[in-house]
Amino acid sequence: MALGADTIPDRQGSEDIGLRGSNQSGMRDHNERLVLSLVRQHGGLAKSDIARITGLSAQTVSVIMRGLEQDGLLLRGEPIRGRIGQPSVPMFLNPDGAFFVGIKIGRRSVDLTLVDFQGKVRASQRQTYRYPSPANVVGFTARALPLALAKLSAEERPRVSGIGIAMPFQLWSWVQFIGAPQAEMDAWRHSDIQAEIAQLTGLPTYVQNDATSACGAELVFGTGERPKDFLYFYFGTFIGGGLVLNGQLFLGRSGNAAGAGPLPVQGKNGQVERLIAAASMSKLADAMEAAGEASDYLWERPDHWTVSPQILSDWMDQAANGLAWAALTAATLLEIEAVMIDGWMPAEVRAEITRRTHLALHSLDLDGIDPPMIREGTIGPDARALGAAAIPLSQRYLIDQNAAGRGV
């Protein structure tokens, strides 16, 4: 399935902790990446605007943008008239300029998503299972990737720039929660899924924690005003988190920073428990099964849930209480501006959990603390898969947002 000899990944240096990637070649020049990052951030910019923001000379910016336009990465907009001097011509990202593949390995399903340069989904494939295994994931990729690439023209396929894999770390340690045989899950201890996918596809391949990737999707593809510092929660089978500091995704020493599941919180009964026990979808599924309600569709239908109102309300109360305590802890340590909540759930459920979390936070003792805003995420159920696709996009075409105002 390799897409060409010139894209076969170089495994050297692929064991970097946090974000593991094969093949760092083809990285854009610093100033090209700076321009692309600014255009993505603002939606469209003229050369004069970029020169003002970056401090680069007008001539330098003109050369860079002309080259990016020739490469097919930027598109010229309609001239804006009515100002003194020459009309201003905004430049926009060309959606067909590059494509990226995201693979989300979940505890109940695996998804493969093809996105364009603007983050629009062009194709997606999905498979559900009782539990994940390396062999299943590789086999699914071998079947799903050709189907996704078939959506592209022959001219577009060479523009597929890489694959990102979003997955929970240490899957073998969650056997008791997902009911999988220990022997089957132990296969993850010795599997290098990144190397197997890279060898299968011939594309640069990166691996990141799944909740961190969902947070990355909010950072790269999210809409509306994004705070510079925020804690992010994603509801899946288990609750997970990500952290953005000074506009940059913070991975931590092992790549598992803000992996919020083990965080101790005070439960509704006053006892200390882990956030994973208070705010995971698996707890909602357990409550449904105990009441005789089928829960399998929770993993298949994020747009609509059929669950007894009282069971859902009790779960949302428990989850909101846990998130409020987690937000309080984070605000105490980091002075974050916001907490953002998203997940594999209907939009109305996300909105209600956000509302209840705000109320729960403001019922706690906030003396000496500037409480963060509690906000909904903007991506939705596909945040992990889109975040996976955002990894190769960021690695090849974007720049540290903290450097967005500095040209060299």
Side-chain angles (χ1 to χ4, degrees):
M1 183 183 294
L3 299 187
D6 58 334
T7 61
I8 295 176
D10 175 5
R11 293 280 297 133
Q12 184 176 0
S14 65
E15 298 305 319
D16 292 344
I17 292 175
L19 175 64
R20 302 195 303 276
S22 64
N23 192 355
Q24 296 279 340
S25 65
M27 304 292 264
R28 309 297 304 188
D29 173 82
H30 172 91
N31 287 339
E32 289 181 330
R33 290 157 63 93
L34 177 57
V35 167
L36 290 171
S37 297
L38 287 170
V39 173
R40 176 174 296 279
Q41 180 181 348
H42 292 273
L45 284 174
K47 298 173 186 177
S48 57
D49 295 322
I50 292 177
R52 174 179 50 81
I53 294 170
T54 63
L56 294 169
S57 70
Q59 181 180 4
T60 298
V61 172
S62 181
V63 170
I64 291 171
M65 298 190 79
R66 188 183 309 119
L68 292 173
E69 186 179 10
Q70 291 173 350
D71 288 345
L73 296 174
L74 292 181
L75 290 176
R76 188 179 298 265
E78 291 295 325
I80 300 175
R81 305 182 187 277
R83 300 177 181 176
I84 297 175
Q86 293 295 321
S88 175
V89 180
M91 303 292 285
F92 300 89
L93 296 179
N94 179 5
D96 299 329
F99 300 91
F100 311 90
V101 176
I103 299 174
K104 184 274 295 182
I105 303 173
R107 297 166 180 89
R108 301 287 185 177
S109 63
V110 57
D111 295 88
L112 185 145
T113 302
L114 175 69
V115 305
D116 63 26
F117 203 27
Q118 291 184 347
K120 180 181 178 181
V121 175
R122 295 295 188 93
S124 61
Q125 298 287 325
R126 189 160 194 262
Q127 176 183 313
T128 58
Y129 40 58
R130 183 60 184 169
Y131 56 85
S133 73
N136 281 344
V137 169
V138 174
F140 166 77
T141 303
R143 297 188 300 272
L145 184 57
L147 296 175
L149 296 182
K151 301 292 185 178
L152 302 179
S153 68
E155 293 77 19
E156 291 172 333
R157 290 180 194 177
R159 300 178 199 161
V160 178
S161 298
I163 294 179
I165 301 173
M167 61 180 292
F169 289 171
Q170 298 185 355
L171 271 165
W172 56 87
S173 65
W174 299 100
V175 170
Q176 68 272 27
F177 295 104
I178 60 178
Q182 184 68 61
E184 294 286 340
M185 297 306 293
D186 278 344
W188 288 103
R189 293 180 183 269
H190 313 293
S191 172
D192 186 345
I193 194 69
Q194 178 264 330
E196 293 185 55
I197 297 297
Q199 183 175 12
L200 174 70
T201 65
L203 287 168
T205 303
Y206 308 86
V207 176
Q208 195 174 73
N209 175 267
D210 58 337
T212 299
S213 294
C215 183
E218 186 68 48
L219 190 61
V220 175
F221 300 130
T223 59
E225 182 182 353
R226 287 185 293 279
K228 295 285 286 184
D229 304 290
F230 64 90
L231 178 63
Y232 175 94
F233 292 108
Y234 185 89
F235 281 85
T237 305
F238 304 124
I239 191 76
L243 180 63
V244 170
L245 296 177
N246 200 22
Q248 191 69 16
L249 191 63
F250 182 74
L251 298 176
R253 177 174 53 83
S254 67
N256 206 31
L263 192 68
V265 299
Q266 183 172 301
K268 296 286 286 183
N269 59 2
Q271 300 296 313
V272 174
E273 61 184 354
R274 287 183 162 196
L275 183 62
I276 195 173
S280 295
M281 281 177 55
S282 61
K283 294 301 178 180
L284 173 60
D286 290 344
M288 293 173 65
E289 295 290 344
E293 299 181 18
S295 66
D296 286 348
Y297 76 90
L298 288 176
W299 322 117
E300 301 170 1
R301 290 289 308 275
D303 55 332
H304 178 72
W305 287 357
T306 303
V307 53
S308 298
Q310 191 60 53
I311 291 177
L312 179 60
S313 182
D314 289 346
W315 174 74
M316 288 193 293
D317 270 346
Q318 184 180 20
N321 177 75
L323 293 182
W325 279 102
L328 177 63
T329 300
T332 302
L333 292 174
L334 299 172
E335 292 190 318
I336 54 174
E337 298 175 55
V339 168
M340 302 190 76
I341 298 171
D342 214 335
W344 183 265
M345 58 179 56
E348 61 271 19
V349 174
R350 180 183 66 186
E352 181 61 16
I353 290 177
T354 301
R355 186 187 72 85
R356 295 190 188 197
T357 301
H358 171 83
L359 295 175
L361 175 62
H362 285 267
S363 72
L364 303 178
D365 183 358
L366 299 176
D367 284 349
I369 296 171
D370 185 12
M373 299 179 291
I374 309 297
R375 295 173 45 178
E376 293 182 63
T378 65
I379 303 297
D382 294 328
R384 291 170 295 181
L386 287 173
I391 304 170
L393 186 158
S394 299
Q395 289 293 303
R396 183 162 184 180
Y397 294 107
L398 302 184
I399 200 167
D400 184 334
Q401 293 193 24
N402 299 326
R406 301 194 300 271
V408 296

